[in-house]
Amino acid sequence: MNGLKLPFMNAPVLPSEALQRVAAEAVRRSHAAEPPTGRKLPLRVGSRASPLALVQTRNFLTRLTRFCPVLRDMGAFQEYQISTEGDRNLVQRLAEIGGKGLFAKEIHEALAAGRIDFAVHSLKDLETNLPPGLVLACTLKREDARDALILRDRDVVVDPQRPYDCLPEGALIGCASVRRQAQMLHVRPDLRFCLLRGNVQTRLDKLRAGACDATLLALAGLRRLGMEDRVDVVLEPDQMLPASGQGIVGVTVRESDLELRELLSAIEDPEARAVSTAERALLAELDGSCRTPIGGYARIENGVLKLSGMIASEDGTFLLRREIEGAPLEAARLGTELADELRRDTPAHIFDEMRRP
């Protein structure tokens, strides 16, 4: 893609023949004696080193090369694993060590420095305000956004309408998310919580070993790992409002790299972009962080974007939900407007608690 000016900025997915022509031109120019931009292949794709992150990165590359087989055949992309502070420190809450941006800090440093060309993320783990010079260039089609309840005792009877009734009095829940904790405590104030962090398999191993009675995981991650059979209860959004961006994979690049931004626009999922824009606008307006019990979930039904938002106290004694709807093109405005409504109807002391050291 040396010096190539791609013609499909903000366009839907193109026919594979068109992308193949783009790729063929990229190959031709990459072998030119003096490439106009000096770009070298392979392009390096940065990712966390967790099994789920690598699966998501490889799925992204598969999607990209499905439309450009010549790029796959020439080995145009190279996976580049990066260890992040969020993955290394599993004994503290993210709020105590710098927030969920710690899952992207080292990756974005490498991107800004030019050591990698793309970065692939779980969108729910990506900070709402990206570092200067970096942009969210692509959002891929959303997997199931719902949360899943995983039980240590899998023999109990579960009522899908009252899923938390299957937990014994005072059950210990392994959880690192204040959003999940607040919503469960709002229904079951007797529940107890302990910190449970790590990749999916690590959490399941700790649950199996008796560290807790149950835990919660994103259904999307379990599906991508082929572990959906470990799900005991799928929690509907009215039972557990998902995190903003949950189930969506996002790709960041340097803002100045117009060639890659244009190429990525060819695999952008417009619905994922619209719903994630609404959800991230909601989160940003509420100053959402990993210490803030906030949920945001948008979907498009019959051409209408419907956004649900939730804010709660960490102990679950206060929980407020509101909804808004409008045109997908107004996604950012809808997120901001719903956030303003939630803030207006939330007691001030709830925000004071969120901002405490």
Side-chain angles (χ1 to χ4, degrees):
M1 58 204 68
N2 303 338
L4 188 62
K5 303 303 180 186
L6 304 181
F8 41 84
M9 186 65 150
N10 297 324
V13 174
L14 296 180
S16 58
E17 293 80 8
L19 285 175
Q20 287 173 13
R21 288 196 297 273
V22 168
E25 179 66 7
V27 175
R28 185 187 70 77
R29 296 194 181 200
S30 72
H31 292 294
E34 296 182 359
T37 65
R39 187 190 294 283
K40 301 292 185 181
L41 296 176
L43 299 176
R44 301 218 285 180
V45 185
S47 168
R48 291 165 59 191
S50 72
L52 177 56
L54 294 177
V55 165
Q56 291 176 164
T57 297
R58 291 162 190 171
N59 287 345
F60 157 68
L61 291 177
T62 295
R63 176 159 177 76
L64 192 58
T65 56
R66 180 180 299 136
F67 296 101
C68 304
V70 67
L71 291 177
R72 179 191 63 235
D73 297 339
M74 68 178 289
F77 303 106
Q78 180 183 68
E79 183 183 288
Y80 190 71
Q81 299 179 24
I82 298 175
S83 173
T84 72
E85 177 65 17
D87 290 309
R88 292 191 298 269
N89 187 336
L90 302 179
V91 297
Q92 294 175 277
R93 286 192 175 214
L94 289 174
E96 298 170 354
I97 58 175
K100 63 183 180 180
L102 290 181
F103 285 124
K105 181 175 181 289
E106 290 89 347
I107 296 175
H108 280 158
E109 288 173 349
L111 182 59
R115 297 193 298 273
I116 59 175
D117 299 285
F118 305 95
V120 181
H121 313 266
S122 292
L123 199 57
K124 74 182 182 70
D125 293 331
L126 195 62
E127 62 268 49
T128 50
N129 296 310
L130 296 180
L134 304 183
V135 294
L136 180 62
C138 179
T139 51
L140 302 184
K141 183 177 176 60
R142 184 172 228 162
E143 236 300 359
D144 199 312
R146 293 175 294 178
D147 286 291
L149 182 64
I150 318 295
L151 305 173
R152 183 159 61 93
D153 179 5
R154 308 197 70 185
D155 294 328
V156 299
V157 177
V158 178
D159 179 356
Q161 301 304 314
R162 300 176 61 88
Y164 304 136
D165 286 0
C166 67
L167 298 168
E169 182 78 16
L172 183 63
I173 313 300
C175 180
S177 164
V178 292
R179 171 188 61 84
R180 290 167 173 159
Q181 175 179 314
Q183 291 184 83
M184 290 189 76
L185 284 173
H186 186 69
V187 179
R188 287 284 306 272
D190 61 289
L191 296 177
R192 298 174 298 129
F193 287 81
C194 65
L195 182 65
L196 188 66
R197 291 191 51 219
N199 64 45
V200 170
Q201 191 58 60
T202 296
R203 296 189 206 185
L204 293 178
D205 288 345
K206 290 180 178 179
L207 173 65
R208 191 178 300 110
C212 52
D213 297 304
T215 189
L216 299 108
L217 292 166
L219 180 58
L222 291 165
R223 283 187 167 180
R224 287 174 176 141
L225 289 168
M227 301 174 66
E228 191 176 359
D229 61 335
R230 191 57 190 85
V231 174
D232 294 295
V233 188
V234 175
L235 300 172
E236 297 300 327
D238 62 344
Q239 298 166 332
M240 174 72 70
L241 198 66
S244 296
Q246 187 157 301
I248 299 176
V249 170
V251 183
T252 52
V253 299
R254 289 179 292 278
E255 185 175 16
S256 61
D257 202 334
L258 299 182
E259 291 175 338
L260 293 188
R261 291 174 65 184
E262 290 170 349
L263 178 61
L264 289 171
S265 73
I267 61 168
E268 167 95 313
D269 185 84
E271 182 169 333
R273 173 64 74 169
V275 298
S276 64
T277 295
E279 293 166 8
R280 286 170 64 80
L282 168 79
L283 196 62
E285 187 67 20
L286 289 173
D287 299 320
S289 69
C290 54
R291 71 164 62 216
T292 314
I294 291 173
Y297 174 57
R299 62 279 184 205
I300 296 177
E301 299 176 358
N302 299 319
V304 177
L305 188 148
K306 300 181 179 182
L307 173 64
S308 300
M310 181 277 301
I311 189 165
S313 59
E314 192 170 333
D315 63 6
T317 54
F318 172 83
L319 188 148
L320 177 68
R321 287 184 62 146
R322 291 283 187 270
E323 294 191 358
I324 195 172
E325 62 180 52
L329 290 176
E330 298 180 316
R333 180 190 64 78
L334 293 171
T336 299
E337 187 174 317
L338 183 58
D340 288 341
E341 183 178 334
L342 287 167
R343 183 184 295 277
R344 184 176 61 248
D345 295 340
T346 297
H349 73 85
I350 299 295
F351 289 97
D352 293 339
E353 290 175 6
M354 294 176 188
R355 287 189 288 265
R356 72 182 186 276

PDB file of all heavy atoms in Angstrom, residues 40-54:
ATOM      1  N   LYS A  40       7.045  -0.190   4.719  1.00  0.00           N
ATOM      2  CA  LYS A  40       7.589  -1.524   4.592  1.00  0.00           C
ATOM      3  C   LYS A  40       6.540  -2.553   4.985  1.00  0.00           C
ATOM      4  O   LYS A  40       5.741  -2.339   5.889  1.00  0.00           O
ATOM      5  CB  LYS A  40       8.824  -1.687   5.491  1.00  0.00           C
ATOM      6  CG  LYS A  40       9.959  -0.692   5.193  1.00  0.00           C
ATOM      7  CD  LYS A  40      10.590  -0.945   3.844  1.00  0.00           C
ATOM      8  CE  LYS A  40      11.785  -0.030   3.629  1.00  0.00           C
ATOM      9  NZ  LYS A  40      12.412  -0.240   2.318  1.00  0.00           N
ATOM     10  N   LEU A  41       6.561  -3.672   4.297  1.00  0.00           N
ATOM     11  CA  LEU A  41       5.735  -4.801   4.675  1.00  0.00           C
ATOM     12  C   LEU A  41       6.637  -5.835   5.354  1.00  0.00           C
ATOM     13  O   LEU A  41       7.818  -5.921   5.039  1.00  0.00           O
ATOM     14  CB  LEU A  41       5.063  -5.400   3.443  1.00  0.00           C
ATOM     15  CG  LEU A  41       4.068  -4.489   2.712  1.00  0.00           C
ATOM     16  CD1 LEU A  41       3.548  -5.172   1.456  1.00  0.00           C
ATOM     17  CD2 LEU A  41       2.909  -4.097   3.611  1.00  0.00           C
ATOM     18  N   PRO A  42       6.110  -6.649   6.289  1.00  0.00           N
ATOM     19  CA  PRO A  42       4.701  -6.708   6.688  1.00  0.00           C
ATOM     20  C   PRO A  42       4.308  -5.565   7.629  1.00  0.00           C
ATOM     21  O   PRO A  42       5.146  -4.984   8.309  1.00  0.00           O
ATOM     22  CB  PRO A  42       4.622  -8.056   7.420  1.00  0.00           C
ATOM     23  CG  PRO A  42       5.973  -8.226   8.022  1.00  0.00           C
ATOM     24  CD  PRO A  42       6.930  -7.654   7.012  1.00  0.00           C
ATOM     25  N   LEU A  43       2.994  -5.281   7.637  1.00  0.00           N
ATOM     26  CA  LEU A  43       2.439  -4.345   8.599  1.00  0.00           C
ATOM     27  C   LEU A  43       2.274  -5.064   9.937  1.00  0.00           C
ATOM     28  O   LEU A  43       1.829  -6.210   9.982  1.00  0.00           O
ATOM     29  CB  LEU A  43       1.086  -3.831   8.112  1.00  0.00           C
ATOM     30  CG  LEU A  43       1.107  -3.082   6.775  1.00  0.00           C
ATOM     31  CD1 LEU A  43      -0.305  -2.715   6.360  1.00  0.00           C
ATOM     32  CD2 LEU A  43       1.983  -1.848   6.857  1.00  0.00           C
ATOM     33  N   ARG A  44       2.637  -4.397  11.018  1.00  0.00           N
ATOM     34  CA  ARG A  44       2.621  -5.042  12.337  1.00  0.00           C
ATOM     35  C   ARG A  44       1.343  -4.677  13.094  1.00  0.00           C
ATOM     36  O   ARG A  44       0.974  -3.506  13.213  1.00  0.00           O
ATOM     37  CB  ARG A  44       3.861  -4.645  13.127  1.00  0.00           C
ATOM     38  CG  ARG A  44       5.142  -5.046  12.399  1.00  0.00           C
ATOM     39  CD  ARG A  44       6.214  -5.528  13.332  1.00  0.00           C
ATOM     40  NE  ARG A  44       6.834  -4.427  14.056  1.00  0.00           N
ATOM     41  CZ  ARG A  44       7.830  -4.612  14.951  1.00  0.00           C
ATOM     42  NH1 ARG A  44       8.265  -5.825  15.198  1.00  0.00           N
ATOM     43  NH2 ARG A  44       8.355  -3.579  15.561  1.00  0.00           N
ATOM     44  N   VAL A  45       0.692  -5.706  13.597  1.00  0.00           N
ATOM     45  CA  VAL A  45      -0.598  -5.561  14.264  1.00  0.00           C
ATOM     46  C   VAL A  45      -0.407  -5.832  15.749  1.00  0.00           C
ATOM     47  O   VAL A  45      -0.111  -6.957  16.149  1.00  0.00           O
ATOM     48  CB  VAL A  45      -1.638  -6.525  13.674  1.00  0.00           C
ATOM     49  CG1 VAL A  45      -3.004  -6.281  14.301  1.00  0.00           C
ATOM     50  CG2 VAL A  45      -1.709  -6.372  12.164  1.00  0.00           C
ATOM     51  N   GLY A  46      -0.566  -4.801  16.582  1.00  0.00           N
ATOM     52  CA  GLY A  46      -0.350  -4.933  18.014  1.00  0.00           C
ATOM     53  C   GLY A  46      -1.565  -5.471  18.741  1.00  0.00           C
ATOM     54  O   GLY A  46      -2.707  -5.154  18.413  1.00  0.00           O
ATOM     55  N   SER A  47      -1.307  -6.292  19.761  1.00  0.00           N
ATOM     56  CA  SER A  47      -2.383  -6.920  20.532  1.00  0.00           C
ATOM     57  C   SER A  47      -1.859  -7.270  21.920  1.00  0.00           C
ATOM     58  O   SER A  47      -0.666  -7.501  22.121  1.00  0.00           O
ATOM     59  CB  SER A  47      -2.854  -8.198  19.831  1.00  0.00           C
ATOM     60  OG  SER A  47      -3.681  -8.973  20.669  1.00  0.00           O
ATOM     61  N   ARG A  48      -2.774  -7.289  22.893  1.00  0.00           N
ATOM     62  CA  ARG A  48      -2.434  -7.904  24.168  1.00  0.00           C
ATOM     63  C   ARG A  48      -2.110  -9.375  23.926  1.00  0.00           C
ATOM     64  O   ARG A  48      -2.499  -9.948  22.910  1.00  0.00           O
ATOM     65  CB  ARG A  48      -3.609  -7.782  25.141  1.00  0.00           C
ATOM     66  CG  ARG A  48      -3.894  -6.369  25.602  1.00  0.00           C
ATOM     67  CD  ARG A  48      -5.265  -6.253  26.269  1.00  0.00           C
ATOM     68  NE  ARG A  48      -5.399  -7.122  27.420  1.00  0.00           N
ATOM     69  CZ  ARG A  48      -6.565  -7.357  28.048  1.00  0.00           C
ATOM     70  NH1 ARG A  48      -7.676  -6.813  27.592  1.00  0.00           N
ATOM     71  NH2 ARG A  48      -6.606  -8.130  29.100  1.00  0.00           N
ATOM     72  N   ALA A  49      -1.437  -9.978  24.899  1.00  0.00           N
ATOM     73  CA  ALA A  49      -0.982 -11.352  24.709  1.00  0.00           C
ATOM     74  C   ALA A  49      -1.948 -12.391  25.267  1.00  0.00           C
ATOM     75  O   ALA A  49      -1.650 -13.587  25.225  1.00  0.00           O
ATOM     76  CB  ALA A  49       0.392 -11.534  25.358  1.00  0.00           C
ATOM     77  N   SER A  50      -3.118 -11.971  25.768  1.00  0.00           N
ATOM     78  CA  SER A  50      -4.061 -12.935  26.331  1.00  0.00           C
ATOM     79  C   SER A  50      -4.677 -13.779  25.216  1.00  0.00           C
ATOM     80  O   SER A  50      -4.764 -13.339  24.064  1.00  0.00           O
ATOM     81  CB  SER A  50      -5.175 -12.213  27.090  1.00  0.00           C
ATOM     82  OG  SER A  50      -6.060 -11.564  26.195  1.00  0.00           O
ATOM     83  N   PRO A  51      -5.115 -15.001  25.537  1.00  0.00           N
ATOM     84  CA  PRO A  51      -5.730 -15.853  24.500  1.00  0.00           C
ATOM     85  C   PRO A  51      -6.890 -15.180  23.785  1.00  0.00           C
ATOM     86  O   PRO A  51      -7.005 -15.274  22.561  1.00  0.00           O
ATOM     87  CB  PRO A  51      -6.190 -17.083  25.302  1.00  0.00           C
ATOM     88  CG  PRO A  51      -5.240 -17.151  26.452  1.00  0.00           C
ATOM     89  CD  PRO A  51      -4.965 -15.719  26.813  1.00  0.00           C
ATOM     90  N   LEU A  52      -7.757 -14.470  24.520  1.00  0.00           N
ATOM     91  CA  LEU A  52      -8.900 -13.817  23.878  1.00  0.00           C
ATOM     92  C   LEU A  52      -8.438 -12.703  22.957  1.00  0.00           C
ATOM     93  O   LEU A  52      -8.935 -12.556  21.837  1.00  0.00           O
ATOM     94  CB  LEU A  52      -9.860 -13.274  24.934  1.00  0.00           C
ATOM     95  CG  LEU A  52     -11.079 -12.505  24.394  1.00  0.00           C
ATOM     96  CD1 LEU A  52     -11.877 -13.355  23.421  1.00  0.00           C
ATOM     97  CD2 LEU A  52     -11.949 -12.015  25.546  1.00  0.00           C
ATOM     98  N   ALA A  53      -7.476 -11.900  23.417  1.00  0.00           N
ATOM     99  CA  ALA A  53      -6.987 -10.801  22.583  1.00  0.00           C
ATOM    100  C   ALA A  53      -6.386 -11.334  21.290  1.00  0.00           C
ATOM    101  O   ALA A  53      -6.586 -10.757  20.209  1.00  0.00           O
ATOM    102  CB  ALA A  53      -5.944  -9.989  23.358  1.00  0.00           C
ATOM    103  N   LEU A  54      -5.666 -12.440  21.370  1.00  0.00           N
ATOM    104  CA  LEU A  54      -5.043 -12.999  20.171  1.00  0.00           C
ATOM    105  C   LEU A  54      -6.092 -13.570  19.219  1.00  0.00           C
ATOM    106  O   LEU A  54      -5.969 -13.443  17.995  1.00  0.00           O
ATOM    107  CB  LEU A  54      -4.026 -14.069  20.565  1.00  0.00           C
ATOM    108  CG  LEU A  54      -2.812 -13.550  21.346  1.00  0.00           C
ATOM    109  CD1 LEU A  54      -1.909 -14.699  21.761  1.00  0.00           C
ATOM    110  CD2 LEU A  54      -2.038 -12.521  20.528  1.00  0.00           C
TER     111      LEU A  54
END
